Amino acid sequence: MTWPGEFTFCPRCGSRLGRRHIDGRDRAVCPDCGYIHFRNPAVGAAAVVVDTGRILLVRRSPRVSRSGLWSIPAGFVEYGEDVREAAARELREETGLEATIGEVLQVASNFHDPEKLTVGVWFQATVTGGHLAAGDDADAVGYFSEIPPLAFETDRALLERLIAR
Ligand SMILES: [Zn+2]
């Protein structure tokens, strides 16, 4: 199957890409420089902050997808960045809070955006400082004891597990 958002031109040399069956899949291949595009999911890192039974959530701003819905603070791991540092950075950017990143609470594949598939890693996070203020891709932030309308099913799955504990 072909997922939407495939490259048309070679990201290395700019030639038009062809397709070839390699390692069990149809892949974009450059006829000029030989580049093979192995399309992999991006990695997302999420920071789960729980305070006296309430979960910290951010509301997605109008400039991102699923705006107005709530999610656990998260974002993409940058190339060359440690996954735990990414979780701490996303938390800092979206909520203003500093935290130490702890154990993994969930690992899950996200299929909600077929152009940008991801594997998410949700970490427990313990706040060490900062001041609560929405920023970056978030336009509101708060602690919740009742789950508001969520942007992502994988966040919901984790929250329901945490509540059941
Ligand atoms: Zn090329």
Side-chain angles (χ1 to χ4, degrees):
M1 99 175 262
T2 304
W3 292 86
E6 288 279 344
F7 285 154
T8 305
F9 297 100
C10 177
R12 283 221 179 119
C13 77
S15 292
R16 182 172 283 275
L17 291 165
R19 308 221 28 116
R20 224 165 69 206
H21 201 74
I22 297 168
D23 291 347
R25 291 218 177 194
D26 213 33
R27 304 181 197 274
V29 179
C30 178
D32 289 332
C33 77
Y35 173 77
I36 304 167
H37 185 54
F38 289 94
R39 196 174 182 190
N40 304 115
V43 179
V48 181
V49 175
V50 178
D51 181 38
T52 56
R54 298 173 309 153
I55 176 84
L56 181 68
L57 297 173
V58 295
R59 191 175 65 193
R60 296 170 62 77
S61 83
R63 67 191 185 87
V64 295
S65 65
R66 290 154 200 264
S67 66
L69 296 173
W70 294 81
S71 63
I72 295 170
F76 293 115
V77 181
E78 297 282 3
Y79 207 76
E81 183 181 40
D82 180 88
V83 64
R84 285 179 168 76
E85 175 47 38
R89 175 182 53 76
E90 291 289 346
L91 181 71
R92 187 185 316 121
E93 290 173 358
E94 295 184 350
T95 73
L97 298 177
E98 300 289 338
T100 55
I101 300 301
E103 65 169 308
V104 173
L105 297 176
Q106 174 173 266
V107 177
S109 294
N110 294 301
F111 297 102
H112 52 260
D113 180 358
E115 287 200 22
K116 183 90 173 174
L117 301 184
T118 66
V119 172
V121 184
W122 285 255
F123 294 98
Q124 182 189 54
T126 305
V127 173
T128 56
H131 295 283
L132 194 61
D136 195 36
D137 292 340
D139 67 358
V141 59
Y143 285 93
F144 291 82
S145 48
E146 306 265 316
I147 301 175
L150 293 175
F152 306 116
E153 279 310 305
T154 42
D155 276 352
R156 175 176 303 285
L158 174 61
L159 292 182
E160 285 175 354
R161 275 212 343 265
L162 291 177
I163 289 167
R165 269 187 189 179

